[in-house]
Amino acid sequence: MNEMQFLTWVRGPGLDIAIGIFLLGVLWRLIEIYTLGRKQDVAPGRQRDGASGLHTVFRRSVPPPGMVRKSPVTYIGGYVFHIGLAIIVFLFAPHIALIRDLTGLSWPGLPSQFVDLVTVVTMAAMVVVLFDRINKPAKRYLSTFQDWFTWTLTFLPVLTGWMAVQHLLLPYTTMLALHILSVELLLIFLPFTKLFHTFTVFGSRWYLGKINGHRGVPV
Amino acid sequence: MSDKNSGLIASLAHQGISRRTFMKYCATLASMMALPPSAGRAMAEAMAAARRPSVIWLPFQECTGCTESITRSHSPSLEGLIFDAISLDYQETLMAAAGHQAEEALEKAIEENKGKFVLIIDGSVATGLDGAYSCIAGRTNLELLKRVAPHAGAIVAMGSCAAFGGIPKANPNPTAAVAVTDIIKDKPVVNIPGCPPIPVVMTGVLAHYLTFGSLPELDKLGRPKAFYGETIHDRCYRRPFYDQGKFAKTFDDEGARKGWCLFELGCKGPVTYNACATVKWNGGTSWPVESGHGCLGCSEPDFWDGGGFYRALSMPADPLKMAATAAVVGTAAGVAATFANRAKKGAAKSAHETVTLADLEK
Amino acid sequence: MGIEQIPIHVDNGSDGLSGNASAILREVADMLDRLARTGETGAIDLAALPLTPADKAWLSERLGKGEVEISMELNGASRIHETAYPGIWWITHLNPMGAEIGEFIEVTPIPDMVPSQSDDIVRGSESLNFLINDLC
């Protein structure tokens, strides 16, 4: 298989398989999770300001007071790479072309130099966050295989995409194919690992906020 | 074709090409091949003095577009004239001889120039039915290639078909077409892909062979690095628009009129290694992107099966076939899991409800 | 619509100089020094280095124009001029469409292309004699 055939495979059958598994997994897990239900809390609800599902959805997007100073790498690093990933995935013109082709939706992109800069910052933040996880005994103790695995799954598409654009190491054609392949791996594993938080993050916040809100505790 | 023993420059002079014009040509050719200026002078001297090199050109499964590209530029190009000036001992399309005479000329050229002639091949080699899909004078292309190639001084695969199999090799490849390098394994082959290839690349390779007695530096796919070293995209004058995120969305929108980047209209420039953006076509008049159409990637292997000419590189190469089925299966799995969970919960609940007064009094 | 109408503005800072022009100027000076001492000639292919239009203008301005200017019609125009520094020649080749296809600086008493070659002189002499014989 030459590099052009490799690229055509990842753009064709490879993408088909990856998106298939992704859709299957996402629908399966979303339906399963949201139909699970909870035992009804028969205790009378307590009202308190700021204690509701909606409040928690927003409150959890902001660090609790004092925590940024206490654990700056986790918070700042976390923000930087999450926002960076969103910019890279949704505002780089070739990515928008893909989304438009798949869904018909389209919006303007950002200049590629800017996206390039964001990519470098994102990768730096991800590496810093990883080192922090290795360095801090508590974080290291809490980490399982899945944490290292999902970090790698997330990092590889960013790295290969950037290397393709910058013409590093391998010819662009091969690098682009590797980039698409790494995204396909991410798509395949996303529904079945903790990366599924991309779909459940606001739902689970709402859920926690609502349960605690019923008890009159703003979380 | 005039006397063989005079140098190339003499036969060029017959066609009204002065030595200075030839020197100018060699200087710009060396510059194009990223050789030092001294190499231009060396080329001019070596080529001028060279006994007209014998060339055997074998056409296989091809469309003659490669020959047209070299011999039929809009005004007589120097590539065409140099091509005329070489001793073209066998080229079916151009030679006067036909039938047995032509085949005799081929055998004679092989015998007279053993180990020295340049073998140019255009078209892919059919291997299906023992090569019977393409025959010349009762011999299959495969036989002919195996007969001639061992005696060649240098082998040039001209055009994408000879270099990579090209259009005959496109799915479903009914003739089991292959590239020259799939047959010739024991000799270096210079690939000059393109559909058609840029004429100056052929003269560049010829000039290098005559001047230095060797082939120019080749890349992994056997292409001269001097011409195929960079992608169309990297040398494209529309590149700044790509970087700014300005794209033509259709062939007649405002972006297309303003000459914005053609990436979204399926331009394969980013994955195509060729010199069109710098050398251009028709004596430097224009080239595909300049005329408003994206690059087809014609100098890359299997460009015909690369997922459609009008689909951006980041778009799927084939329509998604599994998505709908996967969505249905995923939903079904979710619903099945729901019922399973409900049943489990119900069982647990009913298990707890069987607590009796007697149990509590213990 | 031509390329020149497409509004691309390449911004290379205030003066547009990449720094390569001054490097070339030093190399030319070095070559001229060698020519003066040993008679060794030299040449620079201006297409081999990335030069901005401002770089070329800067270099051309520094080298200036000398006494000699030669124009030739060689399957497209070619122009040679000696710069203000004797021994340094600036050569521009155009194709038949008028597009620039090569630009060189040669450091030599006279660029190779200019003098008539001995073979050509022999051929010229033969043709002239033919002409005279025809006249008689």
Side-chain angles (χ1 to χ4, degrees), chain A residues 84-143:
Chain A
L85 285 176
I87 291 175
I88 298 164
V89 173
F90 294 111
L91 294 174
F92 184 47
H95 297 163
I96 299 172
L98 170 67
I99 296 167
R100 189 185 59 170
D101 192 67
L102 290 176
T103 66
L105 301 172
S106 165
W107 49 86
L110 286 173
S112 63
Q113 288 98 336
F114 180 76
V115 177
D116 196 70
L117 179 76
V118 171
T119 310
V120 173
V121 173
T122 303
M123 287 193 294
M126 286 191 75
V127 169
V128 169
V129 168
L130 179 73
F131 271 100
D132 195 51
R133 190 184 274 279
I134 296 169
N135 262 338
K136 294 250 166 70
K139 276 191 174 181
R140 193 170 60 228
Y141 177 74
L142 288 171
S143 299

Side-chain angles (χ1 to χ4, degrees), chain B residues 36-38 41, chain C residues 27-28 31 34 40-46 89 91 104-108 112:
Chain B
S38 57
R41 240 167 292 159
Chain C
E27 198 181 341
V28 172
M31 282 180 175
R34 214 172 312 144
E40 188 192 336
T41 62
I44 291 175
D45 179 358
L46 292 178
W89 301 79
I91 305 176
F104 300 87
I105 291 176
E106 278 200 32
V107 181
T108 170
D112 285 350

Side-chain angles (χ1 to χ4, degrees), chain B residues 42-340:
Chain B
M43 267 182 188
E45 279 165 27
M47 291 244 287
R51 236 197 74 199
R52 298 166 58 217
S54 169
V55 172
I56 294 176
W57 181 307
L58 296 178
F60 293 160
Q61 290 196 113
E62 47 89 32
C63 69
T64 316
C66 298
T67 317
E68 294 278 337
S69 163
I70 287 171
T71 56
R72 297 275 197 103
S73 10
H74 66 297
S75 63
S77 70
L78 262 158
E79 284 84 37
L81 293 171
I82 288 171
F83 186 69
D84 287 345
I86 59 179
S87 173
L88 192 56
D89 292 321
Y90 184 87
Q91 215 290 10
E92 285 165 7
T93 314
L94 302 176
M95 72 196 306
H100 293 297
Q101 286 175 327
E103 298 313 304
E104 274 163 30
L106 173 64
E107 293 302 324
K108 202 171 137 223
I110 297 172
E111 289 309 316
E112 279 178 5
N113 303 289
K114 240 179 194 168
K116 281 181 292 190
F117 66 87
V118 178
L119 173 62
I120 299 178
I121 295 152
D122 69 335
S124 61
V125 188
T127 61
L129 298 180
D130 293 326
Y133 284 106
S134 181
C135 294
I136 298 165
R139 285 193 286 186
T140 66
N141 294 165
L142 193 61
E143 269 176 76
L144 208 51
L145 181 61
K146 284 182 176 165
R147 160 82 183 98
V148 182
H151 308 294
I155 303 176
V156 178
M158 194 67 182
S160 290
C161 296
F164 303 132
I167 295 166
K169 195 190 160 210
N171 277 335
N173 191 3
T175 63
V178 296
V180 170
T181 44
D182 291 324
I183 308 290
I184 307 298
K185 301 275 189 193
D186 53 346
K187 271 191 169 194
V189 175
V190 183
N191 282 335
I192 305 183
C195 190
I198 299 177
V200 73
V201 183
M202 192 210 72
T203 17
V205 171
L206 206 61
H208 199 285
Y209 180 66
L210 292 176
T211 310
F212 305 110
S214 64
L215 298 172
E217 200 188 346
L218 305 176
D219 72 3
K220 197 163 79 3
L221 291 173
R223 306 177 289 198
K225 273 189 181 167
F227 295 100
Y228 296 90
E230 279 178 275
T231 65
I232 297 286
H233 186 58
D234 288 341
R235 303 298 291 269
C236 182
Y237 74 99
R238 296 196 187 200
R239 178 62 188 265
F241 292 121
Y242 174 86
D243 289 330
Q244 289 164 23
K246 290 179 175 166
F247 297 95
K249 310 273 180 193
T250 66
F251 283 108
D252 58 355
D253 68 356
E254 197 205 351
R257 278 190 285 277
K258 283 186 172 162
W260 287 356
C261 178
L262 300 165
F263 177 87
E264 294 194 8
L265 288 168
C267 181
K268 300 295 180 291
V271 295
T272 305
Y273 292 79
N274 208 339
C276 305
T278 43
V279 177
K280 299 194 183 180
W281 285 86
N282 298 329
T285 311
S286 182
W287 61 291
V289 171
E290 193 176 335
S291 65
H293 193 288
C295 168
L296 301 180
C298 76
S299 57
E300 290 296 316
D302 303 303
F303 78 101
W304 203 263
D305 293 318
F309 291 156
Y310 300 99
R311 299 186 67 73
L313 271 171
S314 64
M315 289 179 183
D318 299 320
L320 300 180
K321 293 181 210 89
M322 288 164 64
T325 320
V328 172
V329 174
T331 310
V335 171
T338 303
F339 281 109

Side-chain angles (χ1 to χ4, degrees), chain C:
Chain C
M1 177 165 167
I3 294 181
E4 66 282 352
Q5 283 157 278
I6 294 168
I8 305 176
H9 305 290
V10 182
D11 190 5
N12 287 306
S14 50
D15 54 3
L17 292 175
S18 67
N20 284 341
S22 64
I24 288 182
L25 194 61
R26 275 165 220 278
E27 198 181 341
V28 172
D30 202 43
M31 282 180 175
L32 191 60
D33 183 45
R34 214 172 312 144
L35 180 68
R37 282 187 292 109
T38 67
E40 188 192 336
T41 62
I44 291 175
D45 179 358
L46 292 178
L49 277 162
L51 292 177
T52 63
D55 282 333
K56 274 193 193 171
W58 184 89
L59 199 58
S60 157
E61 208 176 293
R62 293 297 168 284
L63 290 173
K65 282 220 169 174
E67 297 162 333
V68 187
E69 199 158 350
I70 303 166
S71 85
M72 298 176 286
E73 192 49 50
L74 310 169
N75 190 39
S78 288
R79 290 190 297 268
I80 301 180
H81 70 259
E82 194 178 34
T83 65
Y85 306 93
I88 304 179
W89 301 79
W90 190 294
I91 305 176
T92 311
H93 294 306
L94 308 179
N95 72 4
M97 320 286 292
E100 198 183 292
I101 50 170
E103 204 160 26
F104 300 87
I105 291 176
E106 278 200 32
V107 181
T108 170
I110 181 86
D112 285 350
M113 205 173 265
V114 178
S116 302
Q117 304 274 323
S118 51
D119 286 355
D120 295 342
I121 295 171
V122 171
R123 203 167 298 142
S125 158
E126 281 168 7
S127 333
L128 191 57
N129 281 326
F130 266 125
L131 180 78
I132 290 168
N133 290 341
D134 267 4
L135 287 178
C136 305

